[in-house]
Amino acid sequence: DAGVTQSPTHLIKTRGQHVTLRCSPISGHKSVSWYQQVLGQGPQFIFQYYEKEERGRGNFPDRFSARQFPNYSSELNVNALLLGDSALYLCASSSVGLADYEQYFGPGTRLTVT
Amino acid sequence: SQQGEEDPQALSIQEGENATMNCSYKTSINNLQWYRQNSGRGLVHLILIRSNEREKHSGRLRVTLDTSKKSSSLLITASRAADTASYFCATGINDYKLSFGAGTTVTVRA
């Protein structure tokens, strides 16, 4: 079975631009979470979607938005990019979307904002 | 803010030696998980220990949990070069959100 997949692998954008990152969860998993990991730090929670509904949102500005599609894949959108948005963006899927259970992470998308 | 904090920040050991890292957290938890990350790639789940458990083993990994001290430790025995990675503890927050520490970077020297 394929694991969590993310695209693209790397991305370079200019300040002020918009970016869309994509994630496909493990087959059968209905929950997708997004995390931002700045170099040298641990991942920070951005969003979680379960059954296409937003279940939770971390402490991120409204420039960050996400959605989940009927096939449970997900997109993370970031508008008006800032230099500080440069990070590894990780997607994680799980069957029930509860923190009591193992999360399966994708390889991440490395975003560089210049 | 991050719930968990790992200690030490970095660790360098010889192949075959044991590596121990600690995690402290601030609030009550349902469970604590440990993840490994190789070279800034995706995280791999290592082990989950629930609040009513004190110790758990998985292969060369041993995790302990002391809820009275709000701390956990991860022991890797007989380390190998492939164990070189960053290790993160994560606690469950609000039932759906994982809160990660800043991680411990482990380097295993041949």
Side-chain angles (χ1 to χ4, degrees):
Chain A
D1 279 345
V4 177
T5 59
Q6 291 186 245
S7 63
T9 305
H10 296 90
L11 203 52
I12 300 175
K13 289 286 190 177
T14 304
R15 277 176 296 177
Q17 286 188 318
H18 162 270
V19 69
T20 298
L21 310 180
R22 295 177 175 83
C23 170
S24 292
I26 290 172
S27 178
H29 284 189
K30 299 179 180 179
S31 170
V32 169
S33 298
W34 287 94
Y35 290 82
Q36 181 197 64
Q37 186 178 22
V38 174
L39 194 63
Q41 297 183 20
Q44 295 285 319
F45 174 79
I46 309 176
F47 284 109
Q48 190 199 70
Y49 277 77
Y50 180 73
E51 286 277 23
K52 292 156 283 182
E53 297 287 330
E54 181 183 305
R55 179 178 277 177
R57 181 188 184 111
N59 188 24
F60 280 81
D62 291 343
R63 299 185 295 107
F64 288 76
S65 64
R67 55 179 175 167
Q68 187 176 33
F69 299 99
N71 67 352
Y72 301 112
S73 66
S74 178
E75 281 183 355
L76 174 69
N77 295 284
V78 187
N79 292 324
L81 285 167
L82 303 174
L83 294 179
D85 295 331
S86 294
L88 180 69
Y89 288 84
L90 296 162
C91 171
S93 79
S94 66
S95 56
V96 295
L98 296 176
D100 284 352
Y101 295 86
E102 175 181 350
Q103 304 272 321
Y104 295 82
F105 282 82
T109 293
R110 174 75 61 187
L111 173 65
T112 302
V113 182
T114 62
Chain B
S1 62
Q2 294 182 307
Q3 158 83 314
E5 290 186 9
E6 290 90 346
D7 172 63
Q9 288 185 337
L11 187 58
S12 180
I13 56 174
Q14 202 74 30
E15 203 165 21
E17 293 181 337
N18 296 341
T20 300
M21 59 211 84
N22 304 295
C23 169
S24 59
Y25 56 91
K26 299 172 186 173
T27 62
S28 296
I29 59 171
N30 292 333
N31 70 78
L32 187 142
Q33 303 182 39
W34 285 91
Y35 286 82
R36 183 186 75 227
Q37 186 177 39
N38 293 87
S39 301
R41 302 179 69 180
L43 278 74
V44 174
H45 182 267
L46 296 177
I47 201 162
L48 181 152
I49 185 166
R50 302 198 183 279
S51 59
N52 61 352
E53 297 176 308
R54 292 295 168 259
E55 188 170 309
K56 205 162 183 181
H57 296 256
S58 177
R60 295 183 294 111
L61 305 179
R62 172 179 162 245
V63 167
T64 62
L65 180 64
D66 187 335
T67 54
S68 67
K69 295 181 180 178
K70 292 187 170 60
S71 68
S72 173
S73 68
L74 170 66
L75 168 68
I76 305 172
T77 60
S79 63
R80 306 167 182 170
D83 296 327
T84 294
S86 293
Y87 292 82
F88 296 90
C89 66
T91 54
I93 304 290
N94 293 339
D95 295 328
Y96 56 81
K97 165 187 168 182
L98 284 178
S99 181
F100 288 84
T104 293
T105 300
V106 175
T107 302
V108 181
R109 307 185 308 272

